[in-house]
């Protein structure tokens, strides 16, 4: 899905799916400027070109712009230069690097970086990582110990050192160590089955930015026997912010996670039963039950 914004006195937003060719109504487009807000991806760029040529054939005076999020891609810019497209658009980038998914997890959200680096030989993701880490060091000081494994890890470190000199980062020991592993040093791990609670969820549902989309009936105690293919899906949070228990079980082996959740269920059932019977839960009872939850 790609978002097209048109700017005028007001700020109407037209949302369309270029893969389904569901463009906005050109009769409604009476603006002086159009912004395409897209990822820096060559395939996505090719998809919006049809929309661009359609608009430009009807409205010759409409100024057309592209905003790349999370930043420009060398591959895309080279393609636009080779096909004389740069003169047709004004190019901007909205720099977004490390995104806080959870209180202990930052991500670049570069799902295609493996293909870009190892197949396309496009090092944009490595450069973006170096820039993002340099911003962390600007806030917390230069990392004290560096452990690198692999050729691309060394390229990342060289780019980072150049960025550190440019920003003039002061030495600080708040970040004690950094471990950078090049995927080329370990391809086998990606082919093994992940038996952690979070890993299995990702394999079955696909975790996207700390959330999954699941059918609403799956959250019911008694799911329907025959589920509709068009059943409504809801977004469910898998972060410690949205689910306080998830931080405890996410990294557990699924068997241990099952034991923990069973004990947790028994604990709250016991409290609910006592409350229903109007019995008081003493501090000693709660401490005793909490100790029982430990695996």
């Amino acid at each position: 899905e790609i978002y097209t914004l048109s700017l005028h006195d007001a700020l109407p937003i037209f949302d369309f799916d270029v893969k389904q060719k569901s463009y906005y109504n050109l009769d409604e487009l009476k603006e002086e400027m159009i912004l395409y807000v897209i990822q820096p991806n060559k395939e996505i760029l090719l998809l919006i070109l049809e929309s661009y040529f359609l608009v430009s054939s009807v409205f010759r005076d409409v100024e057309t712009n592209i905003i790349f999020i999370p930043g420009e891609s060398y591959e895309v810019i080279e393609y636009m230069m080779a096909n004389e497209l740069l003169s047709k658009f004004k190019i901007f980038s909205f720099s977004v690097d490390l995104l806080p998914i959870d209180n202990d997890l930052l991500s670049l959200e570069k799902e295609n970086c493996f293909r870009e680096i190892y197949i396309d030989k496009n090092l944009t993701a490595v450069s973006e990582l170096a820039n993002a880490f340099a911003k962390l060091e600007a806030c917390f000081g230069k990392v004290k110990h560096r452990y690198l494994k692999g050729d691309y890890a060394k390229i990342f470190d060289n780019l980072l050192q150049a960025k550190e000199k440019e920003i003039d980062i002061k030495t600080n020991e708040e970040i004690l160590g950094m471990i950078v592993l090049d995927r080329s040093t370990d391809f086998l791990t990606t082919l093994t089955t992940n038996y952690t609670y979070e890993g299995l969820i990702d394999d079955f549902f696909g975790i996207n930015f700390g959330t999954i989309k699941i059918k609403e009936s799956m959250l019911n105690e008694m799911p329907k026997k025959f589920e509709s293919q068009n059943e409504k899906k809801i977004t469910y949070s898998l972060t410690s912010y949205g689910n306080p228990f998830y931080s405890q079980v996410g990294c557990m082996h699924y068997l241990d996670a099952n034991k923990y959740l069973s004990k947790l269920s028994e604990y709250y059932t016991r409290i609910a039963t006592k409350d229903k019977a109007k019995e008081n839960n003493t501090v000693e009872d709660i401490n005793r039950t909490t100790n029982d939850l430990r695996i």
Side-chain angles (χ1 to χ4, degrees):
E1 198 168 38
I2 298 176
Y3 300 94
T4 300
L5 290 75
S6 54
L7 303 181
H8 200 251
D9 297 333
L11 184 62
I13 298 178
F14 299 88
D15 184 7
F16 66 99
D17 188 341
V18 291
K19 292 183 179 180
Q20 300 297 326
K21 309 299 182 184
S22 57
Y23 301 120
Y24 43 76
N25 187 351
L26 290 178
D27 295 334
E28 298 178 3
L29 183 61
K30 300 176 181 179
E31 317 306 329
E32 299 175 356
M33 180 186 296
I34 297 176
L35 300 181
Y36 291 100
V37 184
I38 66 173
Q39 291 179 323
N41 182 286
K42 182 179 175 181
E43 286 75 15
I44 295 178
L45 177 67
L46 292 175
L47 288 172
I48 73 166
L49 288 179
E50 184 175 344
S51 168
Y52 161 73
F53 289 121
L54 181 63
V55 173
S56 60
S57 65
V58 180
F59 303 98
R60 295 184 179 181
D61 297 329
V62 174
E63 180 182 321
T64 310
N65 304 264
I66 295 179
I67 298 181
F68 289 116
I69 295 178
E72 295 179 3
S73 166
Y74 299 137
E75 180 189 21
V76 172
I77 296 300
E78 286 179 0
Y79 176 83
M80 295 183 72
M81 291 177 62
N83 291 274
E84 300 181 350
L85 293 172
L86 285 181
S87 61
K88 302 181 184 300
F89 299 93
K90 286 188 177 181
I91 307 298
F92 303 91
S93 63
F94 185 77
S95 297
V96 179
D97 30 59
L98 290 177
L99 303 173
I101 295 179
D102 208 338
N103 56 12
D104 59 351
L105 178 63
L106 300 174
S107 173
L108 282 175
E109 289 297 287
K110 298 282 291 184
E111 60 181 355
N112 296 319
C113 66
F114 180 87
R115 187 194 69 184
E116 293 173 2
I117 294 174
Y118 293 99
I119 298 178
D120 300 335
K121 303 300 180 181
N122 180 0
L123 301 185
T124 300
V126 180
S127 176
E128 289 178 354
L129 178 59
N131 291 333
F133 200 86
K135 290 181 181 180
L136 277 182
E137 290 189 316
C139 295
F140 302 103
K142 192 181 296 186
V143 63
K144 185 176 181 181
H145 301 292
R146 303 174 187 231
Y147 304 94
L148 311 168
K149 187 70 173 178
D151 294 335
Y152 288 114
K154 294 175 183 176
I155 292 175
F156 158 77
D157 189 53
N158 292 335
L159 292 172
L160 179 58
Q161 290 186 40
K163 198 70 179 178
E164 289 170 347
K165 292 180 181 178
E166 179 183 334
I167 302 178
D168 190 26
I169 298 175
K170 305 299 180 182
T171 301
N172 194 309
E173 297 182 1
E174 191 165 347
I175 304 178
L176 183 60
M178 172 182 68
I179 302 175
V180 183
L181 299 177
D182 189 329
R183 175 50 65 193
S184 63
T185 64
D186 178 24
F187 286 119
L188 185 61
T189 297
T190 58
L191 303 176
T192 58
T193 302
N194 193 334
Y195 286 108
T196 64
Y197 186 77
E198 184 174 55
L200 289 174
I201 292 176
D202 189 36
D203 286 344
F204 279 95
F205 300 104
I207 299 175
N208 183 25
F209 203 68
T211 63
I212 57 173
K213 287 188 176 181
I214 57 178
K215 293 181 179 180
E216 194 171 13
S217 62
M218 296 186 67
L219 295 179
N220 298 330
E221 293 183 4
M222 298 295 292
K224 299 176 183 178
K225 187 175 182 180
F226 299 102
E227 298 175 355
S228 170
Q229 294 292 332
N230 298 323
E231 183 182 350
K232 179 183 177 182
K233 290 187 176 182
I234 62 173
T235 301
Y236 193 76
S237 175
L238 293 179
T239 64
S240 57
Y241 303 114
N243 190 330
F245 302 115
Y246 186 73
S247 59
Q248 300 292 327
V249 300
C251 296
M252 286 184 182
H253 190 278
Y254 75 96
L255 293 177
D256 292 334
N258 186 45
K259 294 177 184 177
Y260 176 83
L261 293 174
S262 296
K263 291 181 179 180
L264 205 61
S265 177
E266 293 174 5
Y267 165 64
Y268 282 107
T269 300
R270 196 180 310 170
I271 290 180
T273 303
K274 283 192 173 184
D275 287 341
K276 189 174 182 180
K278 296 183 178 181
E279 297 179 14
N280 293 325
N281 289 292
T282 65
V283 176
E284 291 75 13
D285 290 337
I286 295 177
N287 287 335
R288 190 182 309 110
T289 309
T290 305
N291 291 330
D292 292 340
L293 289 175
R294 297 175 182 174
I295 296 176

